Amino acid sequence: MLFGDIETALATVTNTRSRLAKIEALAALLRGLDPEEIEPAVGLLTAAPRQGRLGVGWRTLSARAGDHADTSNLTISDIDDAFSELTGIGGAGSAAVRTRLLDDLAGRATATEWHLLVRIMTGELRTGALEGVLLDAVARAAERDAAQVRRAAMLSGDLGGTTRIALTGTPEDLAAVGLVVGRGLQPMLASPATSVAEAMAVTGRASVEYKLDGARVQVHRHGDKVRVFTRTLADITHRVPEIVEVALSLPVHDVILDGETLSLDEDGGPRPFQDTMARFGAETAREIALRPWFFDLIHLDGRDLVDEPLATRLDELERVAGEHRIPAVLTDEVDVADAFARDALAAGHEGVMVKGLDDPYTAGRRGKSWLKVKPVHTFDLVVLGVEYGSGRRSGWLSNLHLGARDPRGLFGEPGSFVMVGKTFKGLTDDLLQWQTAHFAERQIGEVTGGIYVAPDTVVEIAIDGVQRSVRYPGGVALRFARVKTYRSDKTAAEADTIDTLRALLPGGGEAATEG
């Protein structure tokens, strides 16, 4: 299939607000794919090449805006092969090899195809082809049950592979997709709550757990083989030998554990989040040690537990990894939970998680029964642009333009981002130096006094609240925003939504549905 067919389908998806029309356009495309094209095509549709990070930035790609083909003759397989070559380049002379490869790819693409390829390679694709729409399109194209397709994608953590099975396999093949020890699956996510009492009004009797300012880890063990994944399913096994050692000490053969890890200081208190992430970025173990705390168990010795209630999963977790469980209390009394939350804060942690005991593990989704309670509002937002600083910050990229995710397309294309404020507060000199280099590589345009950047960098922002705004299209602006930390462990698809921010306004439940 020609890449131009993907370009046409994505244009249809972008230009219509009808979900049914989006689904049909994508389903028609999927029906025309050869089996070997399915997984590469899904990677192109979602701006997530199956090869992973390609190691090329916007500046490198934008330099190839010259001669292009007059007619479309570039195939999906051509692009997939080029992406595979890109990820395999290394050693002496690699820059020249990369340049020749990109020049050839750009020359074979039409001008509009190259523009689309640049957006795919930089993760700056805003088409409204969200995963949920694509999954419905897969079900339509394959004539399979949509719920079964979603479940297979959830359990496998592999949208491309699920699509291939749905389109080329039998219904039984799709139904047989389950958890595989050693293959990461999307983690269950939490929603915010303003207080323990508000959270327990939703959950009833709950497991109230420390909310650590650490990094999410998913630990798989099969016999004497261990794999450790981040929340984005990056394999970091070789970087965390102490977590591997803990996993091997457990009295199990097969297990999948969900948890959090962070580094501790000399007094046993939590180090800053940046220290933990520094270890994740190290190829070899450093002097900063990581300790895992587990809060869920979703597979045990041949038994999938995703459909079991949390109470059952916690019983098994206690039996298997009791000494490595995250501090928690089971209670239906708000006073007890509040006291536990105060203990968590006194120990230097962010707050607490309040989890209902009756619900299953909803991988890849924001479960209504998992609620995070922090003493201040913190949100994961996406950097849309950065302005240069002045005075002591002259020459550094300083003032961040912050955006919230707009999944329903209330203020633009579905899946795009709507600006909600700016901040230059909370930035250390080290962060200023880092973000100046980082965002220079992510530049996709210019704004007054700064640059637009690819919307793929997540930053955790603390705020005192929000207020109504006529300046920003989402109708909401942040109050007293300051940078808490960058979240390299999160993708832009996990950023908080404009609905969540608008819900903080007076009458926010109604405000969140306006537009």
Side-chain angles (χ1 to χ4, degrees):
M1 178 181 286
L2 292 176
F3 179 60
D5 295 324
I6 284 186
E7 182 186 18
T8 300
L10 288 177
T12 301
V13 169
T14 300
N15 294 327
T16 181
R17 297 180 70 86
S18 166
R19 183 180 177 89
L20 291 177
K22 294 177 190 288
I23 291 170
E24 187 48 50
L26 292 172
L29 177 79
L30 294 170
R31 293 187 192 104
L33 293 169
D34 291 335
E36 66 274 10
E37 296 175 323
I38 294 172
E39 292 183 61
V42 170
L44 294 172
L45 288 168
T46 57
R50 67 186 185 90
Q51 292 85 357
R53 294 184 65 87
L54 301 177
V56 291
W58 182 83
R59 285 186 176 180
T60 300
L61 297 170
S62 62
R64 284 153 183 82
D67 295 333
H68 298 290
D70 294 327
T71 59
S72 177
N73 57 25
L74 193 63
T75 68
I76 292 172
S77 295
D78 291 336
I79 295 170
D80 188 56
D81 290 343
F83 285 0
S84 295
E85 287 187 57
L86 277 172
T87 57
I89 293 173
S94 59
V97 174
R98 184 178 293 107
T99 296
R100 286 195 299 270
L101 179 60
L102 290 173
D103 284 344
D104 178 68
L105 188 61
R108 297 173 65 187
T110 66
T112 57
E113 286 176 345
W114 181 245
H115 178 67
L116 176 59
L117 273 173
V118 169
R119 292 165 63 204
I120 289 171
M121 287 189 276
T122 58
E124 210 271 326
L125 185 63
R126 302 183 187 183
T127 64
L130 304 178
E131 183 172 313
V133 175
L134 184 54
L135 285 170
D136 285 344
V138 171
R140 176 78 61 87
E143 298 182 353
R144 300 286 182 254
D145 178 68
Q148 191 177 58
V149 172
R150 289 192 202 96
R151 179 176 175 81
M154 174 187 78
L155 294 180
S156 69
D158 182 357
L159 182 55
T162 298
T163 302
R164 178 178 49 78
I165 293 171
L167 292 173
T168 64
T170 66
E172 291 74 25
D173 292 333
L174 194 62
V177 175
L179 293 180
V180 175
V181 179
R183 182 179 66 194
L185 76 156
Q186 296 292 338
M188 184 172 175
L189 305 174
S191 300
T194 59
S195 67
V196 168
E198 177 188 303
M200 293 189 70
V202 175
T203 64
R205 183 172 174 80
S207 174
V208 184
E209 306 167 357
Y210 278 14
K211 174 82 174 68
L212 307 183
D213 189 17
R216 190 82 172 261
V217 288
Q218 189 180 113
V219 180
H220 294 235
R221 174 182 166 188
H222 174 63
D224 60 358
K225 296 180 179 179
V226 175
R227 297 187 72 184
V228 183
F229 299 94
T230 67
R231 65 182 297 134
T232 59
L233 305 187
D235 189 333
I236 56 165
T237 308
H238 62 294
R239 298 176 182 169
V240 289
E242 56 270 74
I243 297 178
V244 172
E245 183 179 352
V246 168
L248 289 173
S249 72
L250 303 179
V252 297
H253 188 274
D254 290 343
V255 71
I256 302 177
L257 295 153
D258 196 358
E260 196 92 1
T261 187
L262 77 166
S263 52
L264 303 177
D265 60 24
E266 294 78 6
D267 297 324
R271 289 180 181 267
F273 176 78
Q274 292 91 330
D275 288 354
T276 297
M277 293 313 298
R279 265 299 311 276
F280 271 39
E283 289 297 329
T284 57
R286 302 285 182 89
E287 63 275 8
I288 297 176
L290 296 174
R291 173 180 171 178
W293 279 268
F294 300 119
F295 51 70
D296 217 325
L297 186 152
I298 49 185
H299 178 91
L300 180 62
D301 289 334
R303 178 187 173 198
D304 287 347
L305 297 174
V306 287
D307 294 322
E308 297 289 341
L310 176 62
T312 299
R313 305 197 306 272
L314 291 181
D315 285 344
E316 295 290 6
L317 179 64
E318 177 63 32
R319 181 174 65 83
V320 168
E323 67 176 297
H324 301 289
R325 275 193 64 181
I326 206 161
V329 61
L330 299 182
T331 184
D332 53 10
E333 298 181 22
V334 173
D335 289 347
V336 173
D338 266 329
F340 188 79
R342 290 192 294 272
D343 290 342
L345 294 172
H349 301 296
E350 286 191 312
V352 291
M353 297 287 299
V354 180
K355 301 178 179 179
L357 296 173
D358 298 329
D359 286 4
Y361 188 96
T362 54
R365 295 171 56 191
R366 204 169 290 279
K368 294 180 180 179
S369 65
W370 280 23
L371 298 158
K372 52 187 176 184
V373 181
K374 301 181 184 181
V376 297
H377 298 293
T378 62
F379 294 94
D380 295 321
L381 302 175
V382 172
V383 179
L384 306 180
V386 199
E387 298 172 17
Y388 284 99
S390 59
R392 199 178 70 81
R393 294 189 177 188
S394 180
W396 279 343
L397 287 170
S398 175
N399 197 17
L400 304 175
H401 295 201
L402 303 168
R405 191 161 49 88
D406 183 15
R408 296 190 289 151
L410 295 176
F411 308 101
E413 296 176 2
S416 63
F417 300 91
V418 56
M419 191 166 171
V420 292
K422 301 180 182 181
T423 190
F424 54 82
K425 297 181 179 179
L427 294 168
T428 64
D429 285 355
D430 286 343
L431 275 182
L432 285 165
Q433 185 175 8
W434 174 85
Q435 72 181 28
T436 298
H438 174 76
F439 289 120
E441 290 296 319
R442 313 303 300 152
Q443 180 178 353
I444 59 174
E446 295 183 351
V447 297
T448 302
I451 59 176
Y452 281 122
V453 298
D456 58 4
T457 302
V458 179
V459 61
E460 187 175 358
I461 298 292
I463 63 173
D464 289 356
V466 299
Q467 60 192 19
R468 297 190 184 277
S469 171
V470 296
R471 179 181 181 186
Y472 297 126
V476 63
L478 309 177
R479 295 183 67 248
F480 305 109
R482 58 267 189 198
V483 172
K484 192 166 184 289
T485 188
Y486 280 97
R487 296 304 303 252
S488 59
D489 59 326
K490 293 188 177 183
T491 66
E494 297 178 273
D496 284 299
T497 68
I498 187 66
D499 285 342
T500 301
L501 288 174
R502 286 169 66 90
L504 297 180
L505 293 168
E510 296 179 3
T513 62
E514 295 174 1

